[in-house]
Amino acid sequence: MRRFELIAPCHFGLEAVLKREIVDLGYDVAKVEDGRITFIGDEEAVCRANIFLRTAERILIKLGSFRAETYEELFQGTKSLPLEEFIPGDGKFWVAKAASVKSKLFSPSDIQSVMKKAMVERLGDFYGVKWFAEDGEAFPIRVFLMKDEVTAALDTTGDSLHKRGYRKLVAKAPLAENLAAALIMLTPWREGRILVDPFCGSGTIPIEAAMIAANIAPGMKRSFTAQSWSHLIPEREWEDARQEAEELVLPEAAGDIQGYDIDDKMVEISRANARLAGVEHMIHFQRRGIDRLSHSKKYGFIITNPPYGERMEGKEDLPFLYRSIGERFRELESWSFYLLTAYEKAEEAMKMKAAKNRKIYNGMMKTYFYQFPGPKPPKQR
């Protein structure tokens, strides 16, 4: 089996969650950086990581790294990459994305253009051609520049891993599926415990919780770019990984998972998405405003992503909304409360002080994951 350096990008602030996932899959983590984890794996690892990882953005095969402060150095460094080991003569190859941080080369379009020319020259010399039809399979390449250090990698995933395939309908500002899964995994919530999302939108947090409870791999129902790379990854590796995922599903899993929204349309969208995810039977969605948040049972969890300005006509409503959230939560004795928001006065408005406050970047937006853990339920005899 061939060994690869694999790179898994993630939301900034969630590196520890993704690292734990990778280790639990059985792979050695080589490096942890802001927004990405590098680990070692073979062809099987490419398939299993794409299918099983809940919090990653995508899975990349590292082609190489080099230093470049000028475009000539970028050209020569790119030309030194072993591209022919991955890309066949009819392959379609291009720099799909270039990102630069604290580097002298910062123009994405110029970086992409220079690197494409270097790739053509390298592969042209190897295959003995001056022009490529590029009518074969796609080989998108992603490039990161950090303090003039260039890292080039093949994208095995295609559409981001947050696209599980079940969310056909969304709210105005939907929470990404991989971020929702990470929020749940940052809490002590487990299958069998009560979970309520009073601002469920298109149902992402309840659906991800149900998938975790039923042990449904997030990538089971979607395809990946590298599935067509049969010269690199045999088709049987994908088949084996999917079969493993199917065998691990817990069809009898049950849960007390609930999602509320004040908009009837969002409730219907949530139900439709849950049905596509195969977890409709595990979740109860209903129209209910935050002012009616209550529950008769103890030791439940609220995990939610309430509005924080980008989805409301005016931010003047936020203090009242968060005051209501605080009032309703304080009525739920023994419950645990976890809330992701970009509203910096959330604690002040709720009149509550979080035990922990984790900074997470939702795209380019800085958000805070406020954590109010409640008491543990008594152990059953």
Side-chain angles (χ1 to χ4, degrees), residues 21-220:
E21 276 201 281
I22 292 169
V23 170
D24 287 348
L25 267 186
Y27 302 113
D28 294 329
V29 170
K31 198 174 188 181
V32 179
E33 301 170 273
D34 288 343
R36 56 178 169 158
I37 309 290
T38 301
F39 63 104
I40 308 303
D42 53 17
E43 294 95 332
E44 179 187 71
V46 173
C47 306
R48 295 182 73 236
N50 272 299
I51 290 172
F52 284 98
L53 291 180
R54 298 184 188 278
T55 62
E57 291 282 346
R58 59 188 65 250
I59 304 300
L60 309 170
I61 297 175
K62 184 176 177 180
L63 295 171
S65 295
F66 56 88
R67 189 168 183 82
E69 298 183 15
T70 67
Y71 284 112
E72 178 60 25
E73 290 174 340
L74 179 66
F75 183 93
Q76 295 301 332
T78 303
K79 193 177 174 183
S80 71
L81 298 173
L83 301 171
E84 65 281 354
E85 295 180 13
F86 302 90
I87 303 173
D90 65 346
K92 179 182 179 182
F93 55 95
W94 75 103
V95 178
K97 185 174 182 179
S100 177
V101 178
K102 298 178 181 178
S103 298
K104 294 180 176 63
L105 305 179
F106 55 84
S107 167
S109 59
D110 290 338
I111 292 167
Q112 289 168 305
S113 177
V114 169
M115 293 188 72
K116 172 70 175 186
K117 290 176 182 176
M119 291 176 196
V120 169
E121 191 164 312
R122 166 85 185 207
L123 291 172
D125 289 345
F126 182 82
Y127 289 112
V129 298
K130 294 184 179 296
W131 178 82
F132 289 91
E134 297 194 56
D135 53 2
E137 302 300 339
F139 292 84
I141 293 169
R142 290 186 166 239
V143 180
F144 313 92
L145 280 77
M146 171 60 75
K147 295 180 179 178
D148 301 318
E149 185 74 14
V150 182
T151 300
L154 268 179
D155 180 8
T156 73
T157 302
D159 287 338
S160 172
L161 288 176
H162 81 265
K163 296 186 177 181
R164 319 293 205 208
Y166 67 75
R167 201 167 69 175
K168 303 299 183 184
L169 302 167
V170 298
K172 290 182 181 178
L175 186 69
E177 293 91 322
N178 56 351
L179 177 52
L183 298 182
I184 298 164
M185 294 164 72
L186 282 168
T187 78
W189 180 83
R190 295 294 180 268
E191 178 197 354
R193 301 286 296 275
I194 305 162
L195 188 153
V196 175
D197 179 2
F199 298 94
C200 73
S202 50
T204 310
I205 289 176
I207 292 170
E208 289 293 321
M211 290 178 68
I212 290 171
N215 208 25
I216 297 173
M220 273 181 61

Side-chain angles (χ1 to χ4, degrees), residues 323-368:
R323 185 164 65 248
S324 298
I325 292 173
E327 290 170 354
R328 297 319 305 160
F329 175 67
R330 285 191 292 274
E331 293 295 319
L332 292 167
E333 296 182 10
S334 77
W335 278 53
S336 299
F337 180 40
Y338 298 86
L339 178 147
L340 181 76
T341 180
Y343 182 44
E344 297 191 356
K345 295 184 178 179
E347 288 177 301
E348 178 184 335
M350 292 188 296
K351 297 181 180 178
M352 297 170 62
K353 181 64 177 176
K356 292 182 180 179
N357 176 10
R358 191 184 195 99
K359 189 186 299 181
I360 298 171
Y361 279 84
N362 186 1
M364 298 302 294
M365 182 182 293
K366 182 169 65 176
T367 62
Y368 304 91

